[in-house]
Amino acid sequence: MSNQQDELAPETTEGFRVGEKKTLEEYNKLDQNDESLRRWKESLGISAGNSVSNPDDPRKAIITSLALEVQGRSDIVIDLTEPGAIDSLKNKPFTIKEGAKFRMKAVFKVQHQILSGLKYLQVVKRKGIRIGKDEEMIGSYPPNTSDKPLYEKKFAQDEAPSGMMARGRYDAVSKFIDDDKTTHLLFEWSFDIKKDW
């Protein structure tokens, strides 16, 4: 598992330091008479709507679904709120037609405090050999409210490899992690590249 953790470590920027953490209440009181700061806080969604955070759930970020979007086909959606959904990702691989253009989409919610620097990391292997590592910045988000109950992030479009040598099973490990190095979701999944759907 430690090798897997090393492979899924986010890239770091030399000299970058995560800023001081503040509560939502501290942000709301911060420079109350500053109009530009008030507009900036509104653009982040701070103070807009009623909180939908579950006080009994300590998690800051909850990934509620993942989807595979393919041009000209219906989305394949995995509802991660269903029991056993994460376990089924490895044993029930997605099928992707060789050469197809596709993208992943995540739907998530943020609770209790501002989530800073959420990233998606993924390592793909074929027959145990690492063939790729992707890292995508998702961003920073305030807790969801009744006005904005969920967030959605569509990742960069990708193209499946093609040709006889590219066909077969691929295994991936993915995680959602933030600037505080908190892992919000870690899961293994598989996909098959095939000649046709």
Side-chain angles (χ1 to χ4, degrees):
M1 186 68 168
S2 66
N3 185 34
Q4 187 180 75
Q5 289 172 346
D6 292 343
E7 287 184 326
L8 283 172
E11 293 178 9
T12 58
T13 303
E14 189 175 328
F16 174 75
R17 211 181 56 159
V18 176
E20 177 186 346
K21 298 291 177 201
K22 293 186 183 337
T23 66
L24 285 176
E25 186 176 313
E26 288 172 318
Y27 276 115
N28 283 326
K29 290 180 181 177
L30 191 63
D31 298 327
Q32 289 177 328
N33 299 325
D34 185 331
E35 181 65 21
S36 65
L37 184 58
R38 184 190 61 75
R39 285 194 309 268
W40 173 75
K41 290 189 299 186
E42 284 177 2
S43 76
L44 291 177
I46 299 172
S47 301
N50 297 319
S51 172
V52 293
S53 296
N54 179 349
D56 298 326
D57 186 345
R59 297 176 293 174
K60 270 197 318 188
I62 302 166
I63 315 305
T64 60
S65 70
L66 295 170
L68 179 70
E69 295 182 334
V70 180
Q71 267 180 331
R73 297 188 61 84
S74 298
D75 293 355
I76 300 169
V77 180
I78 307 296
D79 181 354
L80 298 178
T81 63
E82 293 290 320
I86 292 172
D87 295 332
S88 73
L89 286 172
K90 186 173 183 182
N91 301 325
K92 294 181 183 173
F94 293 103
T95 295
I96 303 173
K97 181 182 176 183
E98 63 181 356
K101 291 182 170 44
F102 66 95
R103 82 168 79 225
M104 297 292 290
K105 176 175 74 175
V107 176
F108 61 98
K109 66 181 179 178
V110 177
Q111 306 192 116
H112 311 301
Q113 58 184 308
I114 291 176
L115 179 65
S116 178
L118 184 64
K119 295 177 187 84
Y120 174 76
L121 303 167
Q122 170 182 289
V123 171
V124 177
K125 293 183 178 183
R126 180 145 189 235
K127 298 179 181 179
I129 299 169
R130 183 174 127 175
I131 59 166
K133 178 181 178 180
D134 294 314
E135 180 173 334
E136 184 146 351
M137 174 57 80
I138 297 173
S140 298
Y141 297 86
N144 289 98
T145 64
S146 54
D147 293 345
K148 182 77 172 162
L150 293 169
Y151 294 113
E152 178 181 286
K153 171 65 175 177
K154 291 186 179 190
F155 295 21
Q157 190 175 54
D158 205 352
E159 185 173 335
S162 58
M164 188 173 73
M165 297 300 289
R167 292 181 209 138
R169 171 74 46 99
Y170 292 77
D171 296 307
V173 179
S174 300
K175 78 174 172 178
F176 290 85
I177 188 170
D178 66 22
D179 280 345
D180 293 330
K181 306 286 187 258
T182 300
T183 297
H184 299 284
L185 179 64
L186 173 67
F187 60 98
E188 296 181 40
W189 57 290
S190 297
F191 60 95
D192 291 326
I193 301 293
K194 295 188 175 181
K195 190 171 184 173
D196 213 339
W197 295 104

